[in-house]
């Protein structure tokens, strides 16, 4: 990488009158990539700084959530690169097993085919073909946003190296008896035809029915309630609590299961809540996770009554019916036999749905592969508890511990064709062989490979080290592992973060995958509502980039980013950020036309004006403040700090206060030009990580140097001048107070007013020219008559308002407003003086009245001052 010491010709010798993002951004980004600015060198002696991109799905496109997260990561990595770190932002994509297979299957359906028509090998080839032609459009969109990732290291979770990592860790876990195969209840999607993990199930309240069914007859009958009547065909017991006196005499006996003719036992199990319903529950071990556990404790048979499509497979009258059709038919049959004791419709209850296709999940007994997570989760929790990993914000730790401390074994097999195929072979005589990446699978007649693939989160859980070459001991792995920080949303704390923690600690000899987990919230609309196509409030960030520029979108997102808190965003906020970019452009353009330069050393403080010393003091305080906010991941605060420094202090005050100096020319103008150049240089460096495009264009023009991407990050020089800051605050007080008075008198902003300034005995005298220019105050003439006098900041400003306002009308208006304020004060004082009222009124009501009193008193003082300032007579 070229050091930023050259002084080549700048991209533009002069700045256009207006900033046009569309003409700048794409060219700049390609220049950055071509020059290798984002490429990380594993042989460098610089300290490493590593962040991985949360790999977007190969099927995905850039949405506001991506843009938000990528903006934060890009800001961190750009700053660290400028600070001299060997910075790697690792890009790549996830193969997204179910989502990608669904996309390609839909394409096949348009041709009248299914994956089974092609066969497994041809279907997988078709998916790779789709990936090459249509997948990964998000990569181009990331470039639009300005993502400073190392494209030379781009990875894909199904590429050769990552596939080797997957097979290696599977074999290692298998040999350590942390992966096993067992028949258990899993979450089954009848639409996707695969198992899915607990965290891929979305729960929502659905309207269903609750039916109470009488099993048996007479005194030996028992009533159970269910929302899934169709599963009764698979009941193998009824369970009651062992201490429930109502049923104690029935425990150990059998009862007839309606419609089937089968007799099933009544068992006693502490899982049953005797206070809920009738205190008796039907037990269907093959179709309910809790029932499965009861069945295991009591040695009950597992009777599956549905196939993978959720079609009933037993009991003639109902065989072949879909589960919902069977539910209605079974309830009707039970009703005909007089066995329905009670029915409740609609009955709202929580129902699990597939997070991808929204189909209702069916608990199903199935032979699957599992990770024994106990020791892995323990290690993941300990790494945070002992301080090796910090979660930010800290209040998110509880959520993390609640998850990892209560993890169930993880079902990792999926009944798909697209993904990492499980590296296990079965022999003709019951042999089971797990094969590592450097081993030959068994061959010969009767040997077959497991048909399932691994859960997508299995491979993405290896992301922080598999992308660096693991299991091979590469230079990149030695240099860039562990990651410095993981920036991700709190919504995938369980999906992804916990998986990476478990696998990283396991594979990398107890070294966690990152030092810090920085969690952010979700992007919402301006009303705080979740963005969704169904709500009609979803936004394509590319549309906003087209209209306002990428910097505007980035700055809006960063300015809303408080740690762990959701981010509301609206188009008017993006427009305001565009205005900020334009303000930076116009102010820098003005500065360049008026002598702003970085040539030569800064003049000594004694040669500077108080205004110069003030802005340099404020500049260094801003550098320190921004650094502190970055280290605490306070993106909103650092963005606000930069916004207010740039707009309020540099543009609105320093530039304006210095105009008289610039217009006068001479040595003092040269000093201020060098100071302004220094301020712009540092300010643009500070802004660059968040708004890289406009700052790059302006900085290279200002300095003539190569690129901000490889410029040095500003450091606080320690320069402070509290006296100069106090002096400028006095100037600001005078200008602000007189501006407010002018506005209250109805004067136009550009309207000139004769004035006498008595600044003697104050430091304001040196600023009289700037004060007059900012306030449009003309010198007093021979006919000057002080009709209004304003004492402020130890000085006196006398104004001649004759001929500019209707004094009698203004006095009448102010007197009327004063009377209203005094009446408001009297009413508030009366209520606060009423002890009976104070004793009964809520605290918030009392506080509101106190606020009204304070406002009334402030209004009275202001109005009295305005009346006193009006001409007499």
């Amino acid at each position: 990488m070229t050091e930023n010491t050259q002084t080549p010709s700048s991209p533009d010798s002069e700045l256009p009158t207006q900033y046009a993002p569309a003409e700048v951004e794409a060219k700049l980004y390609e220049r950055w990539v071509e020059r290798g600015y984002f490429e990380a060198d594993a042989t460098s002696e610089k300290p490493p700084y590593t962040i991985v991109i949360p790999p977007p799905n190969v099927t995905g496109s850039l949405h506001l959530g991506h843009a938000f997260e990528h903006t934060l990561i890009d800001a961190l990595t750009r700053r660290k690169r400028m600070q001299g770190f060997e910075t790697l932002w690792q890009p790549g994509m996830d193969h997204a097993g179910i989502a990608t297979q669904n996309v390609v299957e839909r394409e096949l359906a348009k041709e009248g085919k299914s994956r089974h028509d092609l066969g497994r090998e041809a279907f997988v080839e078709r998916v790779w073909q789709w990936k090459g032609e249509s997948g990964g459009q998000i990569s181009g969109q990331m470039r639009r946003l300005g993502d400073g990732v190392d494209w030379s290291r781009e990875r894909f979770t199904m590429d050769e190296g990552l596939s080797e990592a997957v097979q290696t860790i599977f074999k290692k876990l298998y040999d350590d008896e942390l992966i096993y195969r067992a028949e258990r209840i899993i979450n089954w999607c009848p639409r996707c035809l695969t198992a899915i993990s607990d965290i891929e199930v979305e729960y929502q309240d659905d309207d269903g029915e609750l039916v109470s069914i009488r099993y048996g007859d007479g005194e030996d009958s028992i009533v159970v309630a269910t929302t899934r009547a169709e599963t009764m065909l698979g009941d193998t017991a009824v369970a009651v609590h062992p201490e429930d006196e109502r049923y104690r005499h029935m425990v150990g006996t059998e009862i007839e299961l309606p419609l089937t003719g089968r007799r099933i036992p009544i068992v006693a199990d502490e899982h049953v809540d005797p206070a809920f319903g009738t205190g008796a529950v039907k037990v269907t071990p093959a179709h309910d996770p809790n029932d499965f556990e009861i069945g295991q404790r009591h040695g009950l048979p597992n009777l599956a009554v549905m196939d993978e499509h959720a079609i009933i497979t037993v009991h003639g009258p109902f065989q072949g019916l879909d589960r919902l059709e069977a539910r209605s038919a079974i309830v009707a049959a039970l009703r005909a036999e007089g066995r329905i004791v009670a029915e409740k419709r609609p009955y709202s209850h929580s129902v699990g749905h597939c997070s991808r296709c929204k189909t209702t999940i069916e608990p199903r007994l199935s032979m699957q592969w599992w990770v024994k997570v106990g020791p892995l989760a323990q290690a993941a929790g300990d790494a945070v508890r002992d301080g090796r990993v910090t979660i930010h914000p800290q209040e998110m730790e509880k959520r993390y511990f609640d998850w990892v401390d209560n993890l169930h074994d993880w079902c990792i097999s999926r009944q798909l064709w697209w993904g990492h195929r499980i590296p296990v072979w079965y022999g003709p005589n019951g042999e089971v062989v797990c094969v590592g990446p450097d081993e030959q699978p068994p061959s010969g007649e009767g040997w077959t490979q497991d048909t399932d693939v691994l859960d997508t989160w299995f491979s993405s859980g290896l992301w922080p080290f598999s992308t660096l070459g693991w299991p091979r001991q590469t230079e990149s792995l030695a240099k860039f592992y562990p990651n410095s920080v993981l920036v991700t949303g709190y919504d995938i704390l369980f999906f992804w973060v916990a998986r990476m923690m478990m696998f990283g600690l396991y594979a990398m000899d107890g070294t966690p995958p990152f030092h810090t987990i920085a969690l952010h919230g979700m992007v919402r609309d301006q009303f705080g509502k979740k963005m969704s196509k169904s709500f009609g409030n979803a936004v394509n960030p590319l549309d906003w980039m087209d209209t306002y520029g990428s910097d505007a979108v980035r700055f809006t997102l960063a300015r809303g980013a408080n740690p762990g808190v959701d981010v509301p965003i609206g188009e008017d906020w993006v427009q305001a950020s565009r205005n900020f970019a334009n303000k930076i452009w116009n102010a820098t353009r003005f500065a360049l036309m008026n002598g702003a330069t970085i040539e030569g050393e800064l003049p000594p403080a004694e040669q500077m004006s108080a205004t110069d010393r003030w802005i340099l003091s404020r500049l260094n305080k801003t550098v320190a403040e921004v650094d502190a906010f970055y280290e605490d991941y306070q993106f909103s605060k650092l963005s606000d700090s930069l916004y207010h420094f740039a707009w309020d202090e540099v543009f609105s005050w320093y530039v304006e206060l210095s105009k008289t100096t610039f217009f006068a020319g001479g040595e003092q103008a040269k000093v201020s030009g060098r100071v302004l150049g220094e301020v712009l240089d540092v300010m643009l460096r500070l802004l660059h990580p968040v708004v890289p495009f406009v700052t790059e264009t302006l900085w290279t023009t200002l300095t003539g140097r190569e690129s901000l991407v490889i410029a040095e990050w500003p450091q606080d020089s320690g320069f402070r001048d509290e006296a100069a800051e106090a002096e400028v605050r006095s100037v600001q007080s005078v200008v602000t107070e007189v501006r407010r008075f002018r506005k209250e008198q109805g004067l136009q902003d550009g309207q000139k007013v004769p004035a006498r300034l008595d600044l003697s005995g104050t430091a304001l005298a040196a600023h009289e020219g700037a004060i007059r220019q900012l306030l449009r105050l003309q010198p007093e003439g021979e006919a000057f008559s002080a009709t209004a006098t304003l004492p402020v900041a130890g000085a006196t400003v006398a104004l001649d308002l004759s001929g500019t306002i209707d004094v009698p009308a203004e006095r009448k208006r102010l007197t009327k407003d004063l009377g209203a304020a005094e009446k408001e004060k009297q009413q508030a004082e009366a209520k606060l003086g009423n002890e009976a009222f104070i004793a009964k009124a809520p605290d918030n009501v009392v506080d509101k009245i106190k606020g009204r009193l304070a406002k009334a008193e402030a209004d009275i003082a202001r109005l009295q001052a305005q009346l006193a300032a009006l001409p007499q007579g």
Side-chain angles (χ1 to χ4, degrees):
M1 184 182 294
T2 307
E3 291 296 323
N4 200 18
T5 55
Q6 302 180 32
T7 313
S9 59
S10 59
D12 302 285
S13 57
E14 293 183 3
L15 291 172
T17 55
Q18 291 184 328
Y19 177 48
E23 298 175 10
V24 170
E25 294 175 350
K27 294 176 183 177
L28 273 186
Y29 189 85
E30 289 310 310
R31 183 186 301 152
W32 293 335
V33 173
E34 288 169 4
R35 293 181 177 179
Y37 293 157
F38 304 139
E39 294 179 11
D41 181 2
T43 65
S44 167
E45 294 183 0
K46 297 178 182 178
Y49 186 80
T50 316
I51 295 181
V52 294
I53 194 171
N57 288 351
V58 67
T59 59
S61 60
L62 190 76
H63 56 64
L64 264 181
H66 289 130
F68 173 53
E69 186 167 79
H70 291 199
T71 294
L72 305 187
I73 299 175
D74 197 38
L76 290 174
T77 52
R78 284 179 182 270
R79 172 175 175 262
K80 284 296 181 180
R81 191 178 292 110
M82 294 172 74
Q83 286 182 316
F85 286 78
E86 193 60 43
T87 302
L88 170 60
W89 182 9
Q90 174 68 55
M93 286 183 292
D94 192 288
H95 65 279
I98 295 177
T100 305
Q101 180 158 319
N102 283 346
V103 168
V104 178
E105 286 196 270
R106 284 196 294 270
E107 292 294 317
L108 285 174
K110 294 175 184 177
E111 303 170 14
K113 297 178 182 178
S114 74
R115 61 181 162 125
H116 300 286
D117 293 323
L118 273 66
R120 183 169 193 144
E121 185 174 340
F123 176 77
V124 171
E125 288 180 4
R126 179 70 176 260
V127 180
W128 278 108
Q129 179 185 345
W130 175 88
K131 191 257 182 187
E133 295 173 355
S134 306
Q137 63 172 317
I138 195 172
S139 296
Q141 296 165 346
M142 288 165 58
R143 292 169 183 263
R144 284 283 313 276
L145 188 65
D147 285 4
V149 300
D150 185 347
W151 291 111
S152 70
R153 294 172 175 267
E154 187 174 10
R155 303 303 299 269
F156 180 54
T157 50
M158 286 282 286
D159 68 28
E160 185 176 346
L162 269 65
S163 295
E164 179 185 358
V166 168
Q167 195 171 352
T168 298
I169 201 163
F170 187 99
K171 170 71 171 173
K172 180 175 171 60
L173 289 163
Y174 182 87
D175 290 346
D176 288 346
E177 298 183 347
L178 292 173
I179 281 183
Y180 63 94
R181 192 169 185 243
E183 190 176 45
R184 290 189 178 178
I185 294 286
I186 48 90
N187 302 300
W188 180 264
C189 177
R191 159 63 184 79
C192 297
L193 296 180
T194 182
I196 64 174
S197 65
D198 290 344
I199 52 179
E200 293 170 298
V201 178
E202 294 179 348
Y203 288 91
Q204 66 184 47
D205 287 340
D206 288 355
D207 282 341
E209 61 180 351
L210 180 68
V211 293
S212 298
I213 309 168
R214 178 170 51 82
Y215 288 13
D217 296 294
E219 293 183 358
D220 291 332
S221 66
I222 197 165
V223 175
V224 299
T226 181
T227 57
R228 303 170 66 226
E230 69 278 10
T231 63
M232 68 161 291
L233 300 176
D235 287 0
T236 55
V238 172
V240 297
H241 194 276
E243 296 180 5
D244 193 330
E245 293 294 338
R246 294 171 294 176
Y247 306 115
R248 181 171 289 180
H249 68 286
M250 299 180 69
V251 173
T253 66
E254 291 186 340
I255 197 167
E256 184 173 323
L257 179 65
L259 304 181
T260 67
R262 286 192 293 113
R263 296 189 67 79
I264 57 176
I266 298 176
V267 299
D269 195 280
E270 291 188 352
H271 170 76
V272 179
D273 180 0
F276 182 77
T278 63
V281 297
K282 59 191 288 296
V283 181
T284 320
H287 292 279
D288 184 274
N290 293 321
D291 292 3
F292 178 79
E293 297 296 332
I294 293 175
Q296 291 290 294
R297 288 192 289 271
H298 296 278
L300 301 175
N302 301 315
L303 179 58
V305 298
M306 288 181 232
D307 65 11
E308 65 271 24
H309 297 280
I311 302 298
I312 301 298
T313 58
V314 298
H315 201 67
F318 312 109
Q319 193 167 0
L321 295 180
D322 170 81
R323 54 182 167 170
L324 298 181
E325 295 172 335
R327 182 177 301 171
S328 299
I330 288 170
V331 170
L334 291 168
R335 189 183 298 113
E337 290 190 3
R339 294 197 171 274
I340 299 297
V341 176
E343 298 179 68
K344 185 175 182 180
R345 301 192 183 84
Y347 177 74
S348 181
H349 61 124
S350 182
V351 177
H353 296 261
C354 174
S355 61
R356 289 176 176 83
C357 71
K358 311 308 176 187
T359 301
T360 300
I361 289 301
E362 188 63 43
R364 185 168 187 252
L365 185 65
S366 179
M367 183 67 75
Q368 301 284 345
W369 287 93
W370 304 80
V371 172
K372 184 179 180 182
V373 299
L376 302 174
Q378 176 69 42
D382 290 345
V384 175
R385 288 188 175 94
D386 63 26
R388 282 176 290 159
V389 177
T390 301
I391 294 179
H392 186 89
Q394 189 175 5
E395 53 264 28
M396 287 288 179
E397 279 188 6
K398 182 180 184 302
R399 186 180 294 196
Y400 176 79
F401 291 134
D402 285 346
W403 180 255
V404 298
D405 292 347
N406 296 285
L407 269 178
H408 299 295
D409 284 1
W410 172 18
C411 177
I412 56 171
S413 45
R414 299 291 181 267
Q415 289 64 56
L416 304 170
W417 287 358
W418 173 245
H420 296 100
R421 195 165 174 181
I422 289 175
V424 171
W425 272 255
Y426 304 107
N429 300 312
E431 302 96 331
V432 179
V433 177
C434 181
V435 177
D438 298 323
E439 301 171 347
Q440 288 294 322
S443 58
E445 187 175 350
W447 282 94
T448 58
Q449 186 178 357
D450 195 297
T451 58
D452 289 350
V453 300
L454 288 164
D455 178 9
T456 298
W457 295 103
F458 190 95
S459 52
S460 60
L462 315 181
W463 193 248
F465 51 94
S466 63
T467 51
L468 299 173
W470 187 91
R472 304 180 190 278
Q473 298 305 306
T474 64
E475 286 183 326
S476 292
L477 187 65
K479 178 73 174 180
F480 296 113
Y481 187 90
N483 285 200
S484 306
V485 61
L486 173 74
V487 179
T488 192
Y490 62 70
D491 59 322
I492 58 171
L493 183 61
F494 320 126
F495 285 85
W496 189 44
V497 179
R499 309 274 192 247
M500 288 189 290
M501 285 286 283
M502 291 191 295
F503 281 166
L505 289 159
Y506 174 74
M508 300 300 292
D509 300 320
T511 302
F514 19 73
H515 297 302
T516 301
I517 302 168
L519 298 172
H520 59 73
M522 304 297 101
V523 179
R524 297 181 178 272
D525 70 13
Q526 65 266 42
F527 306 109
K529 191 174 182 180
K530 180 180 178 181
M531 284 191 174
S532 166
K533 290 182 180 179
S534 60
F535 294 155
N537 63 349
V539 171
N540 183 347
L542 297 172
D543 293 340
W544 280 353
M545 289 184 212
D546 289 341
T547 305
Y548 304 109
S550 297
D551 283 332
V553 174
R554 290 171 61 112
F555 192 73
T556 304
L557 292 166
R559 203 173 178 193
N562 290 300
V565 178
D566 288 347
V567 182
I569 183 172
E571 186 168 3
D572 54 338
W573 303 339
V574 184
Q575 185 174 353
S577 295
R578 187 271 313 273
N579 295 343
F580 178 53
N582 287 342
K583 184 72 172 179
I584 300 171
W585 181 273
N586 293 332
T588 304
R589 187 169 176 272
F590 168 85
L592 289 170
M593 290 190 299
N594 286 276
T597 180
I598 65 163
E599 297 300 321
E601 297 293 325
L602 272 175
E606 56 268 21
Q607 292 182 17
M608 298 181 192
S609 68
T611 308
D612 294 335
R613 297 195 305 276
W614 161 74
I615 198 62
L616 289 176
S617 183
R618 289 295 307 129
L619 176 68
N620 280 285
K621 286 182 179 180
T622 301
V623 171
E625 188 173 71
V626 168
D627 274 333
F629 287 144
Y630 262 115
E631 295 305 315
D632 199 33
Y633 305 99
Q634 297 280 359
F635 296 98
S636 177
K637 291 182 179 179
L638 72 89
S639 299
D640 260 349
S641 177
L642 288 169
Y643 176 89
H644 290 296
F645 174 73
W647 194 305
D648 297 346
E649 298 187 280
V650 178
F651 305 147
S652 295
W653 285 107
Y654 180 73
V655 169
E656 294 299 324
L657 288 171
S658 301
K659 279 183 177 178
T660 52
T661 301
F662 289 136
F663 296 161
E667 287 303 313
Q668 193 57 51
K670 292 181 181 178
V671 170
S672 293
R674 179 64 186 90
V675 170
L676 180 53
E678 181 76 10
V679 171
L680 291 176
D681 176 18
V682 173
M683 183 190 77
L684 292 171
R685 292 174 194 245
L686 291 174
L687 281 164
H688 176 72
V690 181
V691 284
F693 295 108
V694 67
T695 53
E696 174 84 338
T697 306
L698 294 172
W699 188 83
T700 52
T701 303
L702 170 70
T703 66
R705 294 178 182 170
E706 183 178 341
S707 175
L708 257 180
V709 180
I710 52 172
E712 291 183 4
W713 181 253
Q715 293 186 346
D716 176 8
S717 70
F719 179 83
R720 301 288 190 276
D721 194 325
E722 300 299 337
E725 290 195 41
E727 185 173 324
V728 173
R729 279 197 299 271
S730 296
V731 175
Q732 291 171 328
S733 295
V734 171
V735 173
T736 301
E737 182 64 25
V738 175
R739 277 178 174 167
R740 186 175 65 82
F741 179 77
R742 286 176 58 108
K743 184 176 181 181
E744 289 169 346
Q745 303 307 316
L747 298 178
Q748 298 298 315
D749 290 341
Q751 190 171 353
K752 295 181 179 180
V753 177
R756 177 189 301 136
L757 274 61
D758 183 2
L759 309 177
S760 58
T762 73
L764 295 169
H767 303 278
E768 180 170 350
I771 293 172
R772 283 187 176 276
Q773 180 171 323
L774 288 170
L775 292 172
R776 305 293 191 270
L777 300 181
Q778 293 177 322
E780 54 185 297
E782 292 183 3
F784 179 83
S785 174
T787 58
T789 304
L790 300 174
V792 58
T796 302
V797 179
L799 304 173
D800 183 353
L801 302 178
S802 58
T804 61
I805 61 173
D806 184 342
V807 175
E810 185 64 14
R811 185 180 299 280
K812 183 177 180 181
R813 182 185 70 81
L814 292 174
T815 301
K816 180 181 178 182
D817 291 347
L818 178 61
E822 288 173 338
K823 183 178 180 180
E824 175 74 3
K825 177 186 176 185
Q826 292 170 359
Q827 291 176 342
E829 286 178 333
K831 286 189 176 181
L832 293 174
N834 185 333
E835 293 182 3
F837 171 78
I838 294 297
K840 294 179 181 179
D843 290 343
N844 65 316
V845 173
V846 175
D847 289 341
K848 186 175 181 180
I849 295 172
K850 288 180 179 178
R852 284 168 49 194
L853 175 61
K855 182 179 183 303
E857 290 174 337
D859 288 344
I860 290 169
R862 174 177 59 81
L863 293 164
Q864 287 175 338
Q866 289 178 235
L867 281 165
L870 286 175
Q872 301 298 314

